DNA sequence: GTCTATACACCGATAGAC
DNA sequence: GTCTATCGGTGTATAGAC
């Protein structure tokens, strides 16, 4: 198994159980690797695995969210593209946000600056698109923040209610909400 | 120390560290009680403490959110009252939502139905107020759901950005958003 | 009620064979 | 690379003195 494949499986565990709830036993089971083998890929153990997971998601978001947002198609198309990839990122609302999960407990101290940076980049990039769509910078910024709030909030609600409908509704309305047509 | 006082301190630990990250050592430190003393108040240990915390918050929400929402003042006043108490519940955005935290990992299996019920009651009660304010039931329900989404999402963002501003903005706009005046 | 002491399982991590 | 075996530490939980 490649390191990349292992990271994808490890990611699922961290998303479900959080940092402290993710044990080497669970990671071993999820990857099919023995504990010692995990240390072959990640010499610094659990912390390095969480770091790898964060880096992996970081790269994925750059490629599948930020790059599309900076493309040369129309603002509406770019926002639509983002929504589709956000839907994939969170498996239509069935998976938590790793940024949200790793901002709890001990993990908060370890990864806070990286999480903060990822959220900030997302909001900033989104706001730039809205400014291009002739929205006032202050309003653009606020709407972008609201978009992240709605995505995160609907993930929480979907998890708590065991129903992904709220997430899907939010995502569907997202482009028009951002552009202010409603 | 009374059981109630202990629960309030235990609540803080679960909010910060989540279910798996909350250890008896941390609870012992937070309460000032030895581990064995904790078992005097909560014979079934950690699970019972989490249950007590959930029940405590449940009662608090009934008294400080649901009851005000069902009072006989105007819809706007009731929503305003809710916002103020939500602000207290989450310490102006500095504290997580225990319902959101306990819907992760092992705790999800243990407490899912109670968490689901609490969220559902909140949305239902909110929607009733909006219907009284002559809003169509379908729209009332959707806006109520959006309110919970925005509260939860802004808490996540506030935590990730280490900045409670988003939460406070959401809360301030909440009554007018719900009534549809914006 | 609160404590010290302790039981036993599981934690993260490592050694070393293959 | 992957494994088994094992380490020291900490987890939850309990016994029993005071």
């Amino acid at each position: 198994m490649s390191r990349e494949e292992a990271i994808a499986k490890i990611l699922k565990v961290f998303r479900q159980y959080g940092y402290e709830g993710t044990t080497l036993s669970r990671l071993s089971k999820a990857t099919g690797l023995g504990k010692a083998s995990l240390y072959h890929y990640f010499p610094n153990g659990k912390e390095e695995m969480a770091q790898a997971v964060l880096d992996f998601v970081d790269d994925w978001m750059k490629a599948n969210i930020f790059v599309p947002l900076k493309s040369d198609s129309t603002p509406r198309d770019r926002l639509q593209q983002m929504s589709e990839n956000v839907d994939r990122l969170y498996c239509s609302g069935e998976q938590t946000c790793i940024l949200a999960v790793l901002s709890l407990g001990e993990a908060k101290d370890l990864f806070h600056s990286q999480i903060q940076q990822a959220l900030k980049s997302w909001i900033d990039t989104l706001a730039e698109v809205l400014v291009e769509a002739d929205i006032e910078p202050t309003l653009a910024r606020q709407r972008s923040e609201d978009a992240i709030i709605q995505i995160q909030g609907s993930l929480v609600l979907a998890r708590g209610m065991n129903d992904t409908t709220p997430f899907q509704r939010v995502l569907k309305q997202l482009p028009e909400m951002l552009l202010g047509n409603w």
Side-chain angles (χ1 to χ4, degrees), chain A:
Chain A
M1 165 172 336
S2 74
R3 194 183 142 104
E4 287 281 294
E5 288 170 326
I7 290 176
K9 298 188 177 185
I10 291 168
L11 169 59
K12 280 194 67 170
V13 180
F14 276 109
R15 281 175 124 173
Q16 182 171 355
Y17 291 99
Y19 188 73
E20 352 259 341
T22 294
T23 65
L24 292 187
S25 307
R26 282 181 174 140
L27 291 170
S28 177
K29 198 171 178 180
T31 56
L33 295 168
K35 294 181 190 179
S37 298
L38 288 170
Y39 276 88
H40 167 71
Y41 292 99
F42 310 95
N44 284 324
K46 184 168 154 178
E47 185 175 334
E48 186 175 347
M49 295 190 230
Q51 185 63 63
V53 152
L54 259 186
D55 291 341
F56 176 83
V57 170
D58 227 61
D59 289 344
W60 196 96
M61 288 181 69
K62 282 197 178 79
N64 299 91
I65 294 180
F66 300 169
V67 165
L69 280 179
K70 291 175 179 169
S71 81
D72 57 356
S73 50
T74 68
R76 170 170 282 105
D77 282 349
R78 283 184 268 169
L79 297 176
Q80 180 57 34
Q81 189 74 47
M82 176 184 86
S83 289
E84 286 168 21
N85 285 333
V86 167
D87 188 58
R88 291 169 53 209
L89 177 58
Y90 299 117
C91 302
S92 299
E94 280 166 11
Q95 293 273 345
T96 68
C97 176
I98 191 69
L99 300 175
V101 165
L102 290 185
S103 63
L104 284 170
E106 298 170 6
K108 175 165 185 169
D109 299 324
L110 294 171
F111 308 116
H112 171 257
S113 64
Q114 188 167 356
I115 289 169
Q116 187 177 39
Q117 182 54 45
L119 292 171
K120 185 179 179 324
S121 299
W122 196 352
I123 293 171
D124 288 347
T125 310
L126 208 39
E128 283 168 26
V129 177
L130 300 191
V131 168
E132 276 189 66
D134 290 326
I135 293 169
E136 289 296 321
T138 309
L139 182 57
R141 170 142 211 96
Q142 179 165 320
R143 285 215 191 124
S144 302
E145 226 179 72
D146 280 339
I148 308 305
I149 285 173
Q150 288 187 23
I151 290 168
Q152 295 295 338
S154 63
L155 285 171
V156 171
L157 187 59
R159 198 169 74 226
M161 298 294 289
N162 209 28
D163 173 13
T164 60
T165 313
F167 174 77
Q168 284 159 31
R169 177 169 66 78
V170 160
L171 223 53
K172 190 179 171 188
Q173 297 173 339
L174 205 57
E176 298 308 315
M177 181 280 274
L178 284 164
L179 293 171
N181 309 321
W182 38 356

